[in-house]
Amino acid sequence: MRDFKRLQNDPPQGVSGAPKDNDIMKWNAVIFGPDETPWEDGTFRLQLEFTEDYPNKAPTVKFVTKLFHPNVYADGSICLDILQNQWSPIYDISAILTSIQSLLCDPNPNSPANSEAARLYQENRREYERKPADAEPSRSDRNTKFALFVGFVVIARLIPPALRKAGL
């Protein structure tokens, strides 16, 4: 709950997230591709799933949007140190999402989840950087980006009714 308040009151640039339906343990999130990168103008949807052990245990985070990236598995799972062996309870949802946003621009090809993307990133950067631009965003991704651009109207819709009544 603390993470939700912090994310709504002081959101990092280019990321957004909120609990899914009435379940505080499952979240939907969106990362916008950073400007002046191959990911610019992209809208990338994610799902986060928390356990009762959070914040002592990292949530499970997956991209819903298909991504060609050295550190993203075919099922959307993310190979990122803070989600695995470098997790610390000091990380919150904002830190997770901004780390993933940073990973888009600065992949780690030495720890690949997608060996083809890692090889292309190392051997032919120009071709690798064309891949995100070649990927046509789905209609739902374009709609999500437009809706999030509108701002708090969308956030209000993402907040489960029970949390809205509680004043969150």
Side-chain angles (χ1 to χ4, degrees), residues 34-149:
D35 293 341
E36 299 179 21
T37 72
W39 307 97
E40 184 174 31
D41 295 328
T43 303
F44 307 98
R45 294 182 301 126
L46 301 100
Q47 291 180 339
L48 294 86
E49 193 164 325
F50 300 87
T51 66
E52 294 294 331
D53 294 329
Y54 179 81
N56 294 318
K57 183 181 177 203
T60 301
V61 184
K62 288 186 176 187
F63 276 100
V64 175
T65 306
K66 297 291 180 205
L67 217 58
F68 182 78
H69 189 279
N71 305 113
V72 179
Y73 291 95
D75 71 351
S77 298
I78 303 165
C79 183
L80 179 62
D81 59 356
I82 70 162
L83 294 176
Q84 296 164 349
N85 59 345
Q86 296 297 314
W87 175 256
S88 169
I90 65 166
Y91 295 127
D92 62 6
I93 294 169
S94 293
I96 293 167
L97 295 176
T98 55
S99 293
I100 294 169
Q101 185 183 45
S102 176
L103 184 68
L104 287 178
C105 303
D106 190 21
N108 180 1
N110 297 321
S111 179
N114 179 331
S115 57
E116 179 187 353
R119 181 191 57 73
L120 199 56
Y121 179 80
Q122 290 177 312
E123 295 175 5
N124 189 343
R125 186 75 53 92
R126 177 174 278 162
E127 183 65 25
Y128 168 80
E129 290 178 352
R130 257 195 289 237
K131 290 285 188 177
D134 291 344
E136 176 65 27
S138 72
R139 180 181 175 140
S140 64
D141 284 347
R142 287 192 303 268
N143 289 345
T144 299
K145 186 170 186 173
F146 174 75
L148 285 171
F149 181 74

Side-chain angles (χ1 to χ4, degrees), residues 7-38:
L7 187 61
Q8 299 313 306
N9 292 334
D10 188 22
Q13 184 174 349
V15 302
S16 179
K20 182 179 178 180
D21 301 324
N22 289 321
D23 190 349
I24 195 74
M25 305 301 271
K26 294 181 182 177
W27 285 52
N28 288 324
V30 175
I31 294 176
F32 297 113
D35 293 341
E36 299 179 21
T37 72

